[in-house]
Amino acid sequence: MSRENVEIVLRGVAALNRGDPEAFNAVCDARFEMRLVGAVGEPVSYVGADGVFQFFRDMDEIWEDWGFELEQARDLDQDVLITGRQTGRGRVSGVEVDSPRACVVAVRDGTVTELRYFTEPAEALKAAGLEE
């Protein structure tokens, strides 16, 4: 089952990078929760389908161009750890971003139930119960 979980997460990353909220939402559970870190380090949360669509609107408002360049997807049984780089260009500022990031993604019964985003990949490893 866990290889299937990785494939589900990879479909979600592809949808994110295409800017396709419908396809992203299609891999998510109805109670999906996305936990992110805001611009000044504050916690930000998006819940359910409404949250998914709001996330994409928010990202399009802030970023002219944005995405997640996947470097690794690691099977952790019911969770998948993804590491890579967040890229983007600010819509107003024009500032380019290219920073290492990681997410721990929970997959249950074939759908993504939770995504926890970390600005420091080491924090994601720790949250997943791993140390490198």
Side-chain angles (χ1 to χ4, degrees):
M1 178 61 116
S2 47
R3 182 64 200 157
E4 292 173 23
N5 290 349
V6 170
E7 292 300 321
I8 290 165
V9 170
L10 293 178
R11 285 198 308 269
V13 171
L16 176 96
N17 286 330
R18 286 193 311 273
D20 187 344
E22 291 85 6
F24 187 88
N25 189 56
V27 302
C28 296
D29 184 81
R31 297 161 301 195
F32 169 73
E33 183 173 5
M34 182 185 306
R35 297 179 190 178
L36 307 174
V37 178
V40 292
E42 77 281 12
V44 177
S45 182
Y46 295 92
V47 179
D50 289 342
V52 167
F53 289 94
Q54 186 62 51
F55 165 77
F56 277 84
R57 284 190 299 271
D58 290 350
M59 294 300 285
D60 286 338
E61 183 179 309
I62 296 166
W63 300 100
E64 182 177 330
D65 181 32
W66 59 277
F68 185 82
E69 292 180 10
L70 183 71
E71 293 172 355
Q72 181 183 35
R74 188 170 172 183
D75 167 29
L76 303 175
D77 191 27
Q78 291 190 326
D79 292 337
V80 176
L81 171 68
I82 58 173
T83 56
R85 303 193 69 75
Q86 176 185 337
T87 61
R89 183 174 45 257
R91 185 166 298 287
V92 174
S93 68
V95 170
E96 301 251 350
V97 172
D98 183 349
S99 301
R101 300 289 190 252
C103 300
V104 177
V105 184
V107 181
R108 306 291 184 271
D109 300 321
T111 61
V112 174
T113 59
E114 182 183 45
L115 181 149
R116 292 179 289 158
Y117 174 89
F118 298 88
T119 57
E120 297 294 331
E123 292 175 11
L125 290 170
K126 185 175 181 180
L130 305 170
E131 300 288 334
E132 276 196 357

